[in-house]
Amino acid sequence: MTILKVDDIGIAFGGVKAIDGVSFSVDAGQIFSIIGPNGAGKTTLFNVISGIYEANRGRVELSGENVTSFTPDALATRGLSRTFQNLQIFQRMTAVENVMVGRHLRERCNLFADLFRLPSVIRQNRNTRDAALNFLGEVGLRGSADMLAGSLSYGACKRLEIARALAAEPNVLLLDEPAAGCNSVETEEIDRLIWRVAEKGIAVVLVEHDMKLVMKISHRILVLERGRLLIEGSPREVRDNPAVLEAYLGKHGARQPARA
Amino acid sequence: MLARLSQRYGVLIALAAIIALLPLVFPSTYYYRVASLVWVSAFAAIGLNILMGKAGQVSLGHAGFFGIGAYAAAIGPAHLGLPSLAALVVGAGFSALLAYLVGRPILRLRGHYLAIATLGFGALVALVITTESHWTGGPDGMPVAKLSLFGWRAGGSGTWYWIAGGLLLGGAWIAFNLDETPTGRAFRALHDSEIAARVTGIDVNRFKLQAFVIAAVYASLAGSALAMMNGFVNPDQAGFLHSIELVTMVVLGGLGSVVGSIVGAAVLIMLPQFLTVFQEYENLLLGFIIIVSMIFMREGIVPTARRLISRGRA
Ligand SMILES: Nc1ncnc2c1ncn2[C@@H]1O[C@H](COP(=O)(O)OP(=O)(O)O)[C@@H](O)[C@H]1O
Ligand SMILES: [Mg+2]
């Protein structure tokens, strides 16, 4: 069942086309990877899908609903969740509070009840915290629950962002280079985590430079080059495609710099 | 979380104890007045700190709301036949409404632009107060009726000390309450990363507006209380210097810290009293002390002290 449908998206910055006519669709439970050299437009595509940028043309559908040009919070309400390539954690909040914010849409939020911290607010807070602790457990950060997020290691912050995104119980999850800057053990953990997420029926869209990880876990792979779709297919089809070898692996080398 | 919760109630109990016991060491009734002034200013600063320290939005015109509260307490009984307490409530309601209407467009601005827009708002309120002299007494100000509740009149500085102290306790309690609620978390989240807050489903404009309205109501109530306490209002209370004073209390005491706002208010109210012996150098010295404190305690007095204490323990 198609959850996310992207149709003929185009966006330009000052006349330069960052994304030019990209279409794809992702099913529930599918791991859909987007690869391409630095500057290909992967993050930009995520920013369009999650409502941070407004596309110049094209259409985005979530569960059949046209959500083109919706605001990020309206998209979150409809089950879209994401992480960021450049960390966007809430530094001055604890790890568990970060994940509790992820459950914002699952909570009742009433200003007057909150100002007086009514019993219902205290009860809800306890439930939210318990749920958040479980999500922290899923990414292996339960032991750091009450640490300030700003004091966590880079790899831990990456996983904290995933926990926060999962806490919303989304049906589409966009992950922008979750394994960047992580060591091999952490990458292995993220690999298993993504599997578990997809098994729950969540559609996962993954942008990742670690080709081993991508080839291993993806159902489908889309190759982006300078804002255009080069090829979309199974890991095998993509790996064996001469155009991909030429344009992506050939020119830039299999050992991409982890940064982008 | 439990530790933090009890710590919070600990702070409230300590604050209540300080308010209750402080009069024992007052050498004269004059100190009741100074302390009451600290409590009222601290109350306004706590509200502004919710906006600045929690939600991360600046307001350089907050004395505008303080002035509205003050003049509501003056105009209500004098011109509209309202009892003082009703005037205070009407003033707070008017401030909330105005904050909502003004905040909607300007809170979409960021950083310096928001600072200038709020500054303009404050200037506008001060201007209206100075020019509408048949209502406000103009630049000279106007007298304020004494607060009376069911025939009992709040008179001397002793009575006001307790009213202001109670107000401060209530204000601190609400600010603490907010911290561990969806609203409080939304404030702090949008402060740290607006973009992450938005993709998490937080309607950032709505929460910025809520923080702005809360801070406006705090300032308005503080203004009403001060007006009734002084028995007089003047346009300076809505003026730019007072706005800056409130921001200084918040930043000097520590952004995001309730205790910090109380300490910041205490320093800014009491320091000038100590510095009067330096006569014409008073303001110069006050400015110098503030600059030096900000250089050496960039996070503000209370967060710096807390860090030093916990480092000493470790
Ligand atoms: N806000 C923006 N303003 C101008 N150019 C942008 C903006 N966002 C992205 N771009 C440009 O779009 C192109 C694609 O960038 P990006 O999506 O970050 O690539 P990737 O994530 O694939 O490495 C780059 O040339 C980048 O400079
Ligand atoms: Mg990128």
Short mmCIF file of all heavy atoms in Angstrom, two decimals, chain B residues 212-266:
data_model
loop_
_atom_site.label_atom_id
_atom_site.label_comp_id
_atom_site.label_asym_id
_atom_site.label_seq_id
_atom_site.Cartn_x
_atom_site.Cartn_y
_atom_site.Cartn_z
N PHE B 212 4.00 34.98 24.90
CA PHE B 212 3.91 36.43 24.88
C PHE B 212 2.73 36.91 25.73
O PHE B 212 2.85 37.86 26.51
CB PHE B 212 3.76 36.90 23.42
CG PHE B 212 4.01 38.37 23.20
CD1 PHE B 212 5.22 38.94 23.53
CD2 PHE B 212 3.03 39.16 22.63
CE1 PHE B 212 5.46 40.29 23.31
CE2 PHE B 212 3.26 40.52 22.40
CZ PHE B 212 4.47 41.08 22.74
N VAL B 213 1.59 36.24 25.58
CA VAL B 213 0.41 36.62 26.35
C VAL B 213 0.64 36.38 27.85
O VAL B 213 0.30 37.21 28.69
CB VAL B 213 -0.84 35.85 25.85
CG1 VAL B 213 -2.01 36.05 26.80
CG2 VAL B 213 -1.22 36.33 24.45
N ILE B 214 1.23 35.24 28.18
CA ILE B 214 1.52 34.94 29.60
C ILE B 214 2.41 36.05 30.18
O ILE B 214 2.12 36.59 31.25
CB ILE B 214 2.22 33.57 29.74
CG1 ILE B 214 1.26 32.44 29.39
CG2 ILE B 214 2.76 33.39 31.17
CD1 ILE B 214 1.94 31.08 29.27
N ALA B 215 3.47 36.39 29.47
CA ALA B 215 4.41 37.41 29.97
C ALA B 215 3.71 38.76 30.10
O ALA B 215 3.98 39.51 31.04
CB ALA B 215 5.61 37.51 29.03
N ALA B 216 2.79 39.05 29.17
CA ALA B 216 2.06 40.32 29.23
C ALA B 216 1.17 40.37 30.46
O ALA B 216 1.07 41.40 31.13
CB ALA B 216 1.24 40.50 27.95
N VAL B 217 0.51 39.25 30.77
CA VAL B 217 -0.38 39.23 31.94
C VAL B 217 0.44 39.39 33.22
O VAL B 217 0.05 40.15 34.13
CB VAL B 217 -1.21 37.93 31.96
CG1 VAL B 217 -1.94 37.77 33.28
CG2 VAL B 217 -2.19 37.92 30.79
N TYR B 218 1.58 38.72 33.30
CA TYR B 218 2.46 38.90 34.48
C TYR B 218 2.81 40.38 34.64
O TYR B 218 2.69 40.94 35.73
CB TYR B 218 3.76 38.11 34.30
CG TYR B 218 3.77 36.71 34.90
CD1 TYR B 218 3.27 35.63 34.19
CD2 TYR B 218 4.33 36.47 36.15
CE1 TYR B 218 3.32 34.34 34.70
CE2 TYR B 218 4.39 35.18 36.67
CZ TYR B 218 3.89 34.12 35.95
OH TYR B 218 3.95 32.86 36.46
N ALA B 219 3.24 41.02 33.55
CA ALA B 219 3.67 42.42 33.63
C ALA B 219 2.51 43.31 34.03
O ALA B 219 2.66 44.21 34.85
CB ALA B 219 4.25 42.87 32.29
N SER B 220 1.34 43.02 33.47
CA SER B 220 0.17 43.85 33.76
C SER B 220 -0.21 43.75 35.25
O SER B 220 -0.48 44.75 35.89
CB SER B 220 -0.99 43.40 32.87
OG SER B 220 -2.11 44.20 33.10
N LEU B 221 -0.21 42.53 35.77
CA LEU B 221 -0.55 42.35 37.19
C LEU B 221 0.48 43.05 38.08
O LEU B 221 0.12 43.69 39.08
CB LEU B 221 -0.60 40.85 37.53
CG LEU B 221 -1.76 40.06 36.90
CD1 LEU B 221 -1.62 38.56 37.19
CD2 LEU B 221 -3.11 40.57 37.40
N ALA B 222 1.74 42.93 37.70
CA ALA B 222 2.79 43.61 38.48
C ALA B 222 2.57 45.12 38.45
O ALA B 222 2.69 45.79 39.47
CB ALA B 222 4.17 43.25 37.92
N GLY B 223 2.22 45.64 37.27
CA GLY B 223 1.97 47.07 37.14
C GLY B 223 0.82 47.52 38.02
O GLY B 223 0.92 48.53 38.72
N SER B 224 -0.27 46.76 38.01
CA SER B 224 -1.42 47.11 38.86
C SER B 224 -1.02 47.10 40.33
O SER B 224 -1.36 48.01 41.09
CB SER B 224 -2.56 46.11 38.65
OG SER B 224 -3.03 46.16 37.32
N ALA B 225 -0.29 46.06 40.72
CA ALA B 225 0.10 45.94 42.13
C ALA B 225 0.97 47.13 42.54
O ALA B 225 0.75 47.73 43.60
CB ALA B 225 0.85 44.63 42.37
N LEU B 226 1.94 47.47 41.69
CA LEU B 226 2.83 48.58 42.04
C LEU B 226 2.06 49.89 42.13
O LEU B 226 2.28 50.69 43.04
CB LEU B 226 3.95 48.70 41.00
CG LEU B 226 5.00 49.75 41.37
CD1 LEU B 226 5.84 49.26 42.54
CD2 LEU B 226 5.89 50.09 40.19
N ALA B 227 1.12 50.10 41.19
CA ALA B 227 0.35 51.34 41.20
C ALA B 227 -0.45 51.47 42.49
O ALA B 227 -0.46 52.52 43.13
CB ALA B 227 -0.58 51.36 39.98
N MET B 228 -1.09 50.37 42.89
CA MET B 228 -1.90 50.42 44.12
C MET B 228 -1.01 50.60 45.35
O MET B 228 -1.38 51.29 46.30
CB MET B 228 -2.73 49.16 44.24
CG MET B 228 -3.86 49.11 43.22
SD MET B 228 -4.93 47.71 43.53
CE MET B 228 -4.48 46.63 42.23
N MET B 229 0.16 49.98 45.29
CA MET B 229 1.09 50.09 46.41
C MET B 229 1.60 51.53 46.56
O MET B 229 1.62 52.07 47.64
CB MET B 229 2.25 49.14 46.15
CG MET B 229 3.24 49.00 47.26
SD MET B 229 4.28 47.56 46.92
CE MET B 229 5.67 48.35 46.19
N ASN B 230 1.97 52.12 45.41
CA ASN B 230 2.51 53.48 45.45
C ASN B 230 1.43 54.54 45.63
O ASN B 230 1.71 55.64 46.07
CB ASN B 230 3.24 53.80 44.13
CG ASN B 230 4.57 53.09 44.05
OD1 ASN B 230 5.06 52.57 45.05
ND2 ASN B 230 5.15 53.05 42.86
N GLY B 231 0.18 54.22 45.24
CA GLY B 231 -0.87 55.20 45.26
C GLY B 231 -0.70 56.26 44.18
O GLY B 231 -1.32 57.32 44.21
N PHE B 232 0.17 55.93 43.21
CA PHE B 232 0.44 56.90 42.17
C PHE B 232 1.02 56.18 40.94
O PHE B 232 1.69 55.18 41.07
CB PHE B 232 1.46 57.93 42.67
CG PHE B 232 1.47 59.18 41.84
CD1 PHE B 232 0.53 60.17 42.05
CD2 PHE B 232 2.40 59.33 40.82
CE1 PHE B 232 0.52 61.31 41.26
CE2 PHE B 232 2.40 60.47 40.04
CZ PHE B 232 1.45 61.46 40.26
N VAL B 233 0.69 56.68 39.74
CA VAL B 233 1.33 56.15 38.54
C VAL B 233 1.90 57.29 37.72
O VAL B 233 1.39 58.41 37.77
CB VAL B 233 0.34 55.38 37.62
CG1 VAL B 233 -0.01 54.04 38.21
CG2 VAL B 233 -0.89 56.21 37.31
N ASN B 234 2.98 56.99 36.97
CA ASN B 234 3.46 57.97 35.99
C ASN B 234 3.95 57.23 34.75
O ASN B 234 4.20 56.02 34.79
CB ASN B 234 4.53 58.89 36.60
CG ASN B 234 5.83 58.16 36.81
OD1 ASN B 234 6.43 57.64 35.87
ND2 ASN B 234 6.26 58.11 38.06
N PRO B 235 4.05 57.95 33.61
CA PRO B 235 4.32 57.28 32.33
C PRO B 235 5.66 56.54 32.28
O PRO B 235 5.84 55.66 31.45
CB PRO B 235 4.32 58.44 31.32
CG PRO B 235 3.58 59.54 31.97
CD PRO B 235 3.83 59.40 33.43
N ASP B 236 6.59 56.89 33.18
CA ASP B 236 7.88 56.20 33.18
C ASP B 236 7.73 54.69 33.33
O ASP B 236 8.55 53.91 32.85
CB ASP B 236 8.77 56.71 34.32
CG ASP B 236 9.26 58.12 34.06
OD1 ASP B 236 9.08 58.58 32.91
OD2 ASP B 236 9.78 58.75 35.00
N GLN B 237 6.67 54.28 34.04
CA GLN B 237 6.49 52.85 34.27
C GLN B 237 6.21 52.09 32.98
O GLN B 237 6.39 50.88 32.92
CB GLN B 237 5.34 52.64 35.28
CG GLN B 237 5.81 52.96 36.68
CD GLN B 237 4.68 53.18 37.65
OE1 GLN B 237 3.51 53.11 37.28
NE2 GLN B 237 5.03 53.43 38.89
N ALA B 238 5.76 52.80 31.95
CA ALA B 238 5.52 52.15 30.66
C ALA B 238 6.67 52.43 29.69
O ALA B 238 6.65 51.97 28.56
CB ALA B 238 4.22 52.66 30.06
N GLY B 239 7.68 53.14 30.17
CA GLY B 239 8.70 53.66 29.27
C GLY B 239 9.80 52.68 28.91
O GLY B 239 9.93 51.59 29.49
N PHE B 240 10.62 53.12 27.95
CA PHE B 240 11.68 52.29 27.41
C PHE B 240 12.69 51.88 28.48
O PHE B 240 13.10 50.71 28.56
CB PHE B 240 12.40 53.06 26.29
CG PHE B 240 13.57 52.33 25.73
CD1 PHE B 240 13.39 51.11 25.10
CD2 PHE B 240 14.84 52.86 25.83
CE1 PHE B 240 14.49 50.43 24.57
CE2 PHE B 240 15.93 52.18 25.30
CZ PHE B 240 15.75 50.97 24.68
N LEU B 241 13.04 52.82 29.36
CA LEU B 241 14.03 52.49 30.39
C LEU B 241 13.54 51.38 31.30
O LEU B 241 14.30 50.51 31.71
CB LEU B 241 14.39 53.73 31.21
CG LEU B 241 15.39 54.67 30.54
CD1 LEU B 241 15.67 55.88 31.43
CD2 LEU B 241 16.69 53.92 30.23
N HIS B 242 12.24 51.41 31.59
CA HIS B 242 11.71 50.36 32.44
C HIS B 242 11.71 49.01 31.71
O HIS B 242 11.97 47.98 32.31
CB HIS B 242 10.30 50.72 32.92
CG HIS B 242 9.80 49.82 34.01
ND1 HIS B 242 8.48 49.55 34.21
CD2 HIS B 242 10.47 49.10 34.94
CE1 HIS B 242 8.35 48.71 35.22
NE2 HIS B 242 9.55 48.43 35.69
N SER B 243 11.42 49.03 30.40
CA SER B 243 11.49 47.79 29.61
C SER B 243 12.90 47.20 29.69
O SER B 243 13.09 45.99 29.90
CB SER B 243 11.16 48.05 28.14
OG SER B 243 9.78 48.27 27.98
N ILE B 244 13.89 48.07 29.53
CA ILE B 244 15.28 47.62 29.56
C ILE B 244 15.62 47.08 30.94
O ILE B 244 16.33 46.09 31.10
CB ILE B 244 16.23 48.78 29.18
CG1 ILE B 244 15.99 49.19 27.74
CG2 ILE B 244 17.69 48.39 29.39
CD1 ILE B 244 16.17 48.08 26.74
N GLU B 245 15.08 47.75 31.98
CA GLU B 245 15.32 47.30 33.34
C GLU B 245 14.80 45.87 33.54
O GLU B 245 15.47 45.02 34.13
CB GLU B 245 14.64 48.27 34.31
CG GLU B 245 15.28 48.35 35.65
CD GLU B 245 14.55 49.33 36.57
OE1 GLU B 245 13.78 50.19 36.06
OE2 GLU B 245 14.74 49.25 37.77
N LEU B 246 13.60 45.62 33.02
CA LEU B 246 13.01 44.28 33.15
C LEU B 246 13.86 43.24 32.42
O LEU B 246 14.14 42.16 32.96
CB LEU B 246 11.58 44.26 32.60
CG LEU B 246 10.53 45.03 33.42
CD1 LEU B 246 9.20 45.10 32.67
CD2 LEU B 246 10.33 44.38 34.78
N VAL B 247 14.28 43.57 31.20
CA VAL B 247 15.12 42.64 30.44
C VAL B 247 16.43 42.38 31.19
O VAL B 247 16.91 41.25 31.27
CB VAL B 247 15.41 43.18 29.02
CG1 VAL B 247 16.46 42.33 28.31
CG2 VAL B 247 14.13 43.22 28.20
N THR B 248 16.99 43.45 31.77
CA THR B 248 18.25 43.31 32.51
C THR B 248 18.07 42.38 33.71
O THR B 248 18.94 41.55 33.99
CB THR B 248 18.76 44.69 32.97
OG1 THR B 248 18.77 45.57 31.86
CG2 THR B 248 20.16 44.58 33.55
N MET B 249 16.96 42.53 34.42
CA MET B 249 16.70 41.63 35.56
C MET B 249 16.73 40.18 35.10
O MET B 249 17.34 39.31 35.73
CB MET B 249 15.32 41.92 36.16
CG MET B 249 15.23 43.22 36.93
SD MET B 249 13.52 43.54 37.42
CE MET B 249 13.70 45.18 38.11
N VAL B 250 16.08 39.90 33.97
CA VAL B 250 15.97 38.53 33.46
C VAL B 250 17.34 37.99 33.05
O VAL B 250 17.73 36.89 33.44
CB VAL B 250 15.00 38.48 32.26
CG1 VAL B 250 15.05 37.13 31.58
CG2 VAL B 250 13.58 38.79 32.71
N VAL B 251 18.07 38.81 32.28
CA VAL B 251 19.34 38.33 31.74
C VAL B 251 20.42 38.25 32.82
O VAL B 251 21.17 37.29 32.90
CB VAL B 251 19.81 39.23 30.57
CG1 VAL B 251 21.17 38.79 30.06
CG2 VAL B 251 18.77 39.20 29.46
N LEU B 252 20.45 39.28 33.69
CA LEU B 252 21.44 39.31 34.76
C LEU B 252 21.22 38.15 35.73
O LEU B 252 22.15 37.48 36.15
CB LEU B 252 21.35 40.65 35.50
CG LEU B 252 22.43 40.96 36.53
CD1 LEU B 252 23.77 41.13 35.84
CD2 LEU B 252 22.07 42.25 37.29
N GLY B 253 19.97 37.90 36.07
CA GLY B 253 19.66 36.81 37.01
C GLY B 253 19.87 35.45 36.38
O GLY B 253 20.29 34.51 37.04
N GLY B 254 19.58 35.34 35.10
CA GLY B 254 19.77 34.07 34.40
C GLY B 254 18.55 33.72 33.56
O GLY B 254 17.46 33.53 34.10
N LEU B 255 18.76 33.62 32.25
CA LEU B 255 17.66 33.26 31.35
C LEU B 255 17.13 31.88 31.71
O LEU B 255 17.90 30.94 31.90
CB LEU B 255 18.15 33.26 29.89
CG LEU B 255 18.24 34.64 29.23
CD1 LEU B 255 19.01 34.55 27.94
CD2 LEU B 255 16.85 35.20 29.00
N GLY B 256 15.83 31.77 31.82
CA GLY B 256 15.21 30.47 32.07
C GLY B 256 15.17 30.09 33.54
O GLY B 256 14.64 29.04 33.88
N SER B 257 15.74 30.91 34.40
CA SER B 257 15.76 30.57 35.83
C SER B 257 14.80 31.45 36.62
O SER B 257 14.92 32.67 36.63
CB SER B 257 17.19 30.72 36.37
OG SER B 257 17.17 30.77 37.79
N VAL B 258 13.84 30.81 37.30
CA VAL B 258 12.87 31.55 38.11
C VAL B 258 13.59 32.26 39.25
O VAL B 258 13.38 33.45 39.50
CB VAL B 258 11.79 30.59 38.66
CG1 VAL B 258 10.89 31.32 39.64
CG2 VAL B 258 10.97 30.02 37.52
N VAL B 259 14.47 31.51 39.93
CA VAL B 259 15.22 32.11 41.04
C VAL B 259 16.08 33.26 40.51
O VAL B 259 16.22 34.30 41.15
CB VAL B 259 16.10 31.04 41.72
CG1 VAL B 259 16.91 31.67 42.84
CG2 VAL B 259 15.23 29.92 42.26
N GLY B 260 16.61 33.06 39.31
CA GLY B 260 17.43 34.09 38.68
C GLY B 260 16.66 35.40 38.53
O GLY B 260 17.21 36.48 38.79
N SER B 261 15.40 35.31 38.12
CA SER B 261 14.62 36.54 37.95
C SER B 261 14.44 37.26 39.27
O SER B 261 14.44 38.50 39.32
CB SER B 261 13.23 36.21 37.37
OG SER B 261 13.38 35.77 36.05
N ILE B 262 14.29 36.51 40.37
CA ILE B 262 14.14 37.14 41.68
C ILE B 262 15.45 37.80 42.08
O ILE B 262 15.47 38.95 42.53
CB ILE B 262 13.70 36.09 42.74
CG1 ILE B 262 12.38 35.45 42.30
CG2 ILE B 262 13.56 36.73 44.11
CD1 ILE B 262 11.96 34.26 43.14
N VAL B 263 16.55 37.09 41.87
CA VAL B 263 17.87 37.65 42.21
C VAL B 263 18.14 38.88 41.34
O VAL B 263 18.60 39.92 41.83
CB VAL B 263 18.97 36.58 42.01
CG1 VAL B 263 20.36 37.20 42.16
CG2 VAL B 263 18.79 35.45 43.02
N GLY B 264 17.82 38.76 40.04
CA GLY B 264 18.04 39.88 39.12
C GLY B 264 17.25 41.11 39.57
O GLY B 264 17.76 42.23 39.57
N ALA B 265 16.00 40.90 39.96
CA ALA B 265 15.17 42.01 40.42
C ALA B 265 15.74 42.60 41.70
O ALA B 265 15.83 43.82 41.85
CB ALA B 265 13.73 41.53 40.64
N ALA B 266 16.17 41.73 42.61
CA ALA B 266 16.73 42.21 43.88
C ALA B 266 17.96 43.07 43.62
O ALA B 266 18.10 44.15 44.20
CB ALA B 266 17.08 41.02 44.78
#
